[in-house]
Each structure stands twice: as structure tokens, then as C-alpha cells.
């Protein structure tokens, strides 16, 4: 009887021990008791170390964006400790894909990072100035580790951030020059920015395939040629002159360039520039890896009223002589309707590296548009469309695109509306093919033209309805007026 009782007692004891262990495990692992112990241990360790603090402000002393701040911001997003920390901010990406959720360091948050066996910390410091945007990242690093790891750690941040940029994880920005009135000593900057979300890509631009491939390989070789440019003592920039009638895709091409390269865009409005030195300062305040654009340069140069920017100011700007600012890659783009009345010095060889002509739509471009807008690769009406194009009739891609959008529910109706618009409005402006020429060497021209047709048409209705197409000047884009013979263009 006694043995029987003690067996029961032992069994009960074992069950109790198991239960106790089970509850202890739950308490230790599920309640964060261990985590708290670890944290206390780390705080105790930190207490006995001497730390140094390195600040990375968002703006430098001349209120220019600090590139290191951008890189640190990107780098911190990649840290697993940000995801694992007690709390952090979830924000929607301000970039192209607004459905993306990204993690952002909270102003009250400190996160750790490990590098070469050393532990470093990052936190935010928001400075309360008149400009509420003044933010600073602070790197906290043990004094004993500083000499060993600081430099390699900063290099590591550069490498990781550059990789992330190349993978398109950087949110691109569109900068616009704010005008003289907003530049002051109180921290106001020359450039204002908004997220750059233009969806245009080189694939969605309708242009000759050969030309597109040449542009792509030109850009790729530009990206790889840092040493080459340095050896030649030349500014590491590439410049493009885009010319062609309104609505042929020049601005869309600029956006496509930025998306292709993953570069920010600086859009210079010359009417907001007070003078040549202001223009230089604007260029000085652009950041590397950017596309700097001046739109409608011909219109500006031919304007009667003076804006303070001289031709030589523009030429210096185009040459990017400010080597100090342009040591790193920049793409410059100038757009214009036509090169005909432009001062020859602007077109001098080597001033602008690549000239690209944006013509009115031809059949090949039409097919790209039909694919983009209607999802149609082939259609029974295509031969008819081709014949009309072959006879010289043409419209701008913007006009054709609008017709397709308006009739997008029925591809057949859309193509028919394009056919009828080409027959009534296709005024033979499409007599020049697109071309890319290095140092102003032009591609051949086509001479097919067709008579101008008067009368109200869908395209004209569209023009009136949307007011989409800016009529720049009668001399430069006569075909939009309908009253001037297309032969007088060019
Ligand atoms: N070559 C093209 N490929 C694809 N879409 C185009 C093309 N050209 C124009 N479009 C469409 O037409 C619209 C207007 O084009 P965009 O603003 O790029 O023309 P633009 O040449 O800059 O005109 P402007 O000289 O009036 O500024 C855009 O919505 C664009 O999508
Ligand atoms: Mg444009």
C-alpha cells in the first residue's frame, strides 16, 4: 500500500514539474520577460561605455540637400532591426508605386545596427527651426570602435544605398525652381520638390525601335563612363536636344529617361530665373544623379521681353562649366519645337551631345500607341491605317492617343476614329522621321506630304475640348492653326 502511494506521489510530482516548466516557458518567451532582461543588460553595458555622436543633417550650411542624409534614410529602411524594433512608422511610398508600404524611423525611436562586430545606434533629431523640415539623423557609436569602423561603415552605407537606388527603391523627386521671391536668408531654397510619379517609360514611348535601342545603350554606356570622363577632364554629363512639334512625346521622353536611370528631375522654368548668375546657382544646387531640363528653349530665346538670362548664360549652362558642381553624373535635356530659328552657337557640335527628332506619328509609332492604349497588337484595319500613313498623312502621337483613350472600350471604333481623323486632319506634317544624331548629324528626311484638309473633325473637337495642345506661335507650329500650309513648316 505504501509503495503504491509513493508511486502516485512521484507521478503527480512529475506532472506538476512539467506544468511548472510549461508555464515558466510561456512566461519567459511569450511575455517578453527575456527580452526585457536582455534590454536591461544592454542598457547596463551601454552605461559603462563612452559614446560619440555624429549628426547627419538633411540640409547643409548652404541649405542644399545633404546627399549623405538621403543615403542614410534609404539605408535605415533596409535594416532588419527597424522591422524588429518595438515600434516604427509605416508610411505609403511617395514614389511611383503608392501601394508600397515602407518603414520609416520614428522621431522617438532608436535602432541598432551591427557592423564588423561593433554595435551602433541610429536615431532622429528633429530641430525646431522656422523651417519645420529640418531633420537630422544621429549616429551613436562607441568611442572604442570609432577609429576602426566609422569610415568603412559610412562606405558600407553608400554601397547599400546605391544598390537600393539601382533597384529603384529610391523615391524620385521632381524639383521646380521656385523663383526669386522665395529665396531668402531664412532657409528658403531655390528648388521646391514634389514626388516624381510620372509613369512614362522608354517602352511606352512610341519611337523607332533602332533609335530607342541606341538611346538605351547610349545611356547605359554613359552610366559606366565615370573614369573615362575624368581622364578626359570633361564634366560627367550627357546632354540631349529634343525637337519636334507639340504633342510628339518630348516631355514624356524626359520622364522616361528619369525612370530609366532612376534619376531625380530638375525642371528649370527660365521665366522664373532672374539672371545668368541665378541660372548658375540653380545648376550648382542640383544634386548628382539627376536630369536637368529646360523645356521650350526656342520659345524662350525668341521671346522679345528680357528675363535677365542672356544667350551666353544659357550657353555656359549647357556646357556645364561649373565643374565643381557637376563632378557627378547629370543628364541635361533641352526641348524645342524646331531647330530652324535657333542661334547656331546653341547647336554647335559638342555643346549638345545627342539631338533627337520627335516627328509626328508614323505607322510604326501608331502600332506602339495601339498596343499601349488599346492593347491591340494587330487588327484588320491596320493595312488601311498603314496606307494612309504611307500617303503622308499624320497627326501627333498625343492627338492619336487622345482618340484612342476616348474610344478605348472598342478598339475597332478607336482605329476607325483615327483613320477618319487622319483623313480629315492628317495634314502631312508627318514628313520627317525620328532621328538620333550625335553632334547634330541628321537622319534622312521623308518627303511624302498630303494636302491639308479643312473642316471640323474629331481631332479638332478634341483640341477644343481639352485645350490640350498648346499653340506656341504661328511661325513655329503652323499645322495646329490649320490656316497655314504645312509646307511652310520647318
Ligand atoms: N511618342 C509618344 N509615345 C507615346 N505617347 C506619346 C508620344 N507622344 C505623345 N504622347 C502622349 O501625348 C501626350 C503629350 O505628350 P508630351 O507632353 O510628351 O508632348 P510634347 O512633345 O512634350 O509636347 P509639347 O511640345 O507641347 O510640350 C502624353 O500624354 C503622351 O503620353
Ligand atoms: Mg512638353
Amino acid at each position: 500500500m505504501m509503495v503504491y502511494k509513493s508511486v502516485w506521489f512521484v507521478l503527480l510530482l512529475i506532472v506538476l514539474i512539467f506544468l511548472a516548466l510549461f508555464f515558466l516557458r510561456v512566461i519567459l518567451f511569450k511575455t517578453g520577460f527575456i527580452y526585457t532582461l536582455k534590454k536591461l543588460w544592454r542598457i547596463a553595458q551601454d552605461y559603462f561605455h563612452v559614446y560619440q555622436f555624429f549628426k547627419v543633417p538633411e540640409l547643409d550650411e548652404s541649405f542644399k540637400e545633404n546627399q549623405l542624409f538621403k543615403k542614410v534614410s534609404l539605408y535605415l529602411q533596409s535594416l532588419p532591426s527597424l522591422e524588429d524594433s518595438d515600434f516604427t512608422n509605416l508610411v505609403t511610398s511617395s514614389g511611383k508605386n503608392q501601394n508600397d508600404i515602407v518603414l520609416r524611423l520614428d522621431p522617438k525611436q532608436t535602432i541598432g545596427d551591427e557592423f564588423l562586430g561593433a554595435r551602433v545606434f541610429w536615431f532622429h533629431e528633429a530641430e525646431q527651426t522656422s523651417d519645420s523640415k529640418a531633420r537630422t539623423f544621429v549616429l551613436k557609436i562607441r568611442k572604442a570602435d570609432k577609429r576602426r569602423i566609422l569610415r568603412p561603415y559610412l562606405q558600407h552605407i553608400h554601397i547599400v544605398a546605391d544598390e537600393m537606388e539601382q533597384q529603384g527603391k529610391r523615391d524620385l523627386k521632381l524639383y521646380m525652381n521656385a523663383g526669386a521671391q522665395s529665396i531668402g536668408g531664412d532657409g528658403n531654397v531655390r528648388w521646391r520638390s514634389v514626388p516624381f510619379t510620372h509613369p512614362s517609360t522608354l517602352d511606352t514611348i512610341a519611337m523607332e525601335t533602332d533609335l530607342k535601342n541606341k538611346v538605351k545603350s547610349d545611356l547605359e554606356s554613359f552610366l559606366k563612363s565615370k573614369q573615362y570622363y575624368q581622364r578626359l577632364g570633361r564634366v560627367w554629363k550627357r546632354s540631349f536636344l529634343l525637337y519636334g512639334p507639340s504633342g510628339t512625346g518630348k516631355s514624356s521622353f524626359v520622364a522616361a529617361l528619369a525612370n530609366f536611370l532612376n534619376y531625380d528631375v530638375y525642371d528649370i522654368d527660365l521665366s522664373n530665373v532672374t539672371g545668368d548668375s541665378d541660372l548658375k546657382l540653380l545648376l550648382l544646387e542640383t544634386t548628382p544623379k539627376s536630369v536637368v531640363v529646360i523645356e521650350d528653349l526656342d520659345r524662350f530665346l525668341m521671346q522679345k521681353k528680357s528675363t535677365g538670362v542672356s544667350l551666353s548664360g544659357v550657353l555656359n549652362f549647357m556646357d556645364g562649366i561649373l565643374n565643381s558642381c557637376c563632378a557627378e553624373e547629370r543628364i541635361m535635356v533641352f526641348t524645342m519645337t524646331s531647330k530652324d530659328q535657333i542661334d547656331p552657337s546653341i547647336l554647335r557640335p559638342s555643346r549638345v551631345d545627342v539631338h533627337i527628332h520627335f516627328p509626328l506619328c508614323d505607322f510604326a509609332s501608331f502600332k506602339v500607341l495601339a498596343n499601349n492604349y488599346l492593347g491591340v497588337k494587330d487588327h484588320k484595319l491596320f493595312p488601311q491605317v498603314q496606307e494612309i500613313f504611307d500617303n503622308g498623312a499624320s497627326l501627333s502621337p498625343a492627338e492619336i492617343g487622345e482618340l484612342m483613350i476616348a474610344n478605348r472600350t472598342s478598339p475597332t471604333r478607336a482605329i476607325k476614329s483615327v483613320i477618319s481623323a487622319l483623313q480629315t486632319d492628317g495634314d502631312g506634317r508627318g514628313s520627317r522621321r525620328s532621328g538620333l544624331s550625335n553632334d547634330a548629324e541628321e537622319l534622312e528626311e521623308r518627303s511624302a506630304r498630303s494636302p491639308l484638309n479643312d473642316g471640323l473633325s474629331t481631332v479638332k473637337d478634341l483640341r477644343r475640348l481639352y485645350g490640350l495642345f498648346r499653340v506656341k506661335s504661328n511661325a513655329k507650329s503652323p499645322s495646329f492653326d490649320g490656316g497655314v500650309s504645312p509646307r511652310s513648316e520647318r
Side-chain angles (χ1 to χ4, degrees):
M1 188 66 190
M2 191 66 183
V3 174
Y4 188 68
K5 251 188 177 176
S6 58
V7 168
W8 266 114
F9 180 73
V10 169
L11 276 178
L12 193 70
L13 201 67
I14 289 172
V15 169
L16 280 176
I17 288 172
F18 267 109
L19 275 178
L21 283 176
F22 177 75
F23 281 116
L24 190 67
R25 190 179 176 282
V26 169
I27 289 170
L28 289 183
F29 288 96
K30 299 272 179 198
T31 62
F33 185 73
I34 294 242
Y35 174 78
T36 314
L37 276 184
K38 272 189 186 165
K39 206 169 162 182
L40 286 174
W41 174 241
R42 213 174 293 141
I43 290 172
Q45 266 187 325
D46 289 352
Y47 189 75
F48 293 104
H49 278 100
V50 182
Y51 283 92
Q52 271 191 305
F53 296 84
F54 295 90
K55 291 188 174 187
V56 185
E58 187 173 16
L59 302 175
D60 65 13
E61 60 286 351
S62 51
F63 297 107
K64 272 165 61 179
E65 261 187 340
N66 179 2
Q67 289 309 298
L68 183 59
F69 181 92
K70 272 190 183 174
K71 300 212 166 180
V72 170
S73 169
L74 210 53
Y75 173 73
L76 293 183
Q77 280 177 36
S78 76
L79 289 184
S81 52
L82 185 62
E83 207 169 323
D84 296 341
S85 64
D86 295 352
F87 68 94
T88 193
N89 291 332
L90 294 176
V91 291
T92 47
S93 164
S94 54
K96 259 164 284 166
N97 196 349
Q98 306 219 336
N99 289 332
D100 276 358
I101 307 267
V102 288
L103 303 177
R104 287 275 155 79
L105 195 69
D106 186 84
K108 292 190 189 114
Q109 185 182 9
T110 300
I111 56 161
D113 187 18
E114 300 267 355
F115 185 72
L116 296 178
R119 215 176 141 66
V120 299
F121 300 91
W122 284 101
F123 58 91
H124 234 163
E125 192 181 82
E127 272 175 42
Q128 225 33 41
T129 63
S130 55
D131 187 348
S132 59
K133 278 188 188 161
R135 294 175 298 162
T136 301
F137 285 122
V138 184
L139 169 65
K140 181 178 157 190
I141 187 166
R142 282 185 192 157
K143 206 162 185 167
D145 293 329
K146 186 200 84 181
R147 202 172 284 273
R148 185 172 62 90
I149 68 150
L150 184 61
R151 273 181 193 284
Y153 184 55
L154 291 178
Q155 269 164 8
H156 167 71
I157 291 176
H158 267 280
I159 292 166
V160 175
D162 283 349
E163 270 170 18
M164 291 175 74
E165 267 177 21
Q166 270 161 20
Q167 290 161 7
K169 294 199 174 147
R170 184 166 74 110
D171 292 340
L172 302 184
K173 284 187 180 164
L174 168 65
Y175 294 85
M176 288 154 289
N177 55 319
Q181 67 283 1
S182 61
I183 305 162
D186 57 349
N188 277 330
V189 282
R190 281 195 157 69
W191 291 104
R192 301 273 146 150
S193 72
V194 291
F196 176 74
T197 54
H198 202 297
S200 177
T201 64
L202 285 179
D203 292 331
T204 60
I205 297 280
M207 68 196 293
E208 277 177 19
T209 322
D210 268 3
L211 176 58
K212 202 186 279 187
N213 291 338
K214 273 189 198 162
V215 170
K216 276 186 190 167
S217 61
D218 183 75
L219 291 171
E220 275 157 3
S221 82
F222 166 77
L223 288 177
K224 292 181 200 141
S225 345
K226 185 174 189 170
Q227 269 87 29
Y228 177 73
Y229 276 80
Q230 273 173 355
R231 197 153 41 80
L232 287 183
R234 289 183 71 140
V235 179
W236 189 20
K237 72 165 178 65
R238 194 91 179 125
S239 49
F240 291 84
L241 178 74
L242 316 181
Y243 65 101
S246 189
T248 48
K250 299 179 297 294
S251 303
S252 311
F253 181 79
V254 175
L257 275 188
N259 284 327
F260 180 76
L261 297 164
N262 244 309
Y263 278 15
D264 291 326
V265 178
Y266 285 87
D267 185 5
I268 298 184
D269 179 355
L270 282 177
S271 60
N272 257 347
V273 181
T274 49
D276 294 349
S277 57
D278 192 25
L279 189 59
K280 276 186 191 172
L281 287 170
L282 278 170
L283 184 56
L284 269 169
E285 290 186 11
T286 59
T287 52
K289 297 197 184 223
S290 56
V291 180
V292 184
V293 194
I294 297 187
E295 289 250 39
D296 304 323
L297 186 59
D298 54 342
R299 199 154 48 122
F300 174 80
L301 292 172
M302 279 153 53
Q303 252 172 11
K304 294 283 173 287
K305 82 176 169 76
S306 155
T307 59
V309 180
S310 69
L311 177 64
S312 84
V314 173
L315 293 177
N316 285 338
F317 178 88
M318 294 176 93
D319 290 343
I321 50 162
L322 305 155
N323 290 314
S324 56
C325 94
C326 298
E328 277 195 78
E329 64 248 66
R330 287 202 183 38
I331 298 279
M332 290 196 175
V333 187
F334 308 93
T335 73
M336 53 182 69
T337 314
S338 143
K339 297 202 289 188
D340 295 345
Q341 293 174 47
I342 284 296
D343 193 300
S345 53
I346 298 251
L347 307 172
R348 172 174 71 69
S350 93
R351 175 147 285 140
V352 177
D353 304 304
V354 185
H355 293 214
I356 305 180
H357 178 224
F358 282 74
L360 294 169
C361 211
D362 61 8
F363 182 60
S365 307
F366 165 83
K367 283 203 291 190
V368 176
L369 295 176
N371 191 21
N372 286 353
Y373 289 90
L374 306 172
V376 170
K377 281 204 161 56
D378 202 5
H379 195 279
K380 61 178 188 304
L381 289 171
F382 274 12
Q384 197 183 339
V385 179
Q386 180 166 20
E387 204 188 316
I388 300 174
F389 276 118
D390 286 348
N391 287 332
S394 191
L395 293 167
S396 73
E399 289 164 313
I400 291 183
E402 282 307 314
L403 287 171
M404 289 179 173
I405 290 174
N407 298 289
R408 63 186 174 280
T409 47
S410 159
T412 306
R413 200 172 62 225
I415 297 172
K416 276 186 181 159
S417 73
V418 172
I419 290 174
S420 88
L422 281 167
Q423 282 165 342
T424 53
D425 274 323
D427 45 21
R429 291 169 296 158
S431 56
R432 296 178 76 181
R433 276 223 304 268
S434 62
L436 170 146
S437 50
N438 280 334
D439 294 329
E441 178 201 323
E442 296 294 329
L443 285 192
E444 77 209 72
E445 290 187 7
R446 264 193 318 184
S447 56
R449 280 161 190 269
S450 73
L452 179 70
N453 230 322
D454 274 339
L456 199 69
S457 74
T458 339
V459 170
K460 281 180 183 157
D461 291 343
L462 272 168
R463 285 178 196 161
R464 247 182 256 137
L465 188 65
Y466 296 115
L468 252 182
F469 311 108
R470 282 177 287 146
V471 179
K472 293 184 175 174
S473 79
N474 289 348
K476 277 181 289 161
S477 50
S479 40
F480 277 86
D481 256 10
V484 186
S485 158
R487 286 172 200 277
S488 65
E489 191 196 352
R490 313 180 339 121

